[in-house]
Amino acid sequence: MIARLSGKIVALELERVIIDVGGVGYDVAVSAATRGGVSTGDNVTMDIHTHVTETDIRLFGFAE
């Protein structure tokens, strides 16, 4: 399970960010509040909830 990510924001969308961690881009779903607190190029650390189903793995990021 992924519990925390530290890296650079390389892309922002309405409800997700992509965090580059050592050359790997993680697609992380975020709330509007978390999204509003970051910008492209920012170095961030987010607590992550990894949600696993039979057909999908999703990452949810939390600034606090």
Side-chain angles (χ1 to χ4, degrees):
M1 295 285 200
I2 297 170
R4 171 174 242 139
L5 290 174
S6 293
K8 183 182 283 191
I9 300 287
V10 294
L12 294 170
E13 292 187 13
L14 185 60
E15 296 179 343
R16 71 185 191 122
V17 298
I18 297 178
I19 303 174
D20 183 291
V21 180
V24 177
Y26 291 89
D27 185 344
V28 180
V30 294
S31 69
T34 297
R35 163 61 178 85
V38 297
S39 299
T40 301
D42 286 354
N43 288 312
V44 297
T45 297
M46 286 191 188
D47 291 325
I48 301 293
H49 168 75
T50 305
H51 183 78
V52 180
T53 66
E54 290 182 17
T55 59
D56 198 17
I57 298 174
R58 292 188 184 195
L59 303 178
F60 295 87
F62 302 90
E64 295 182 7

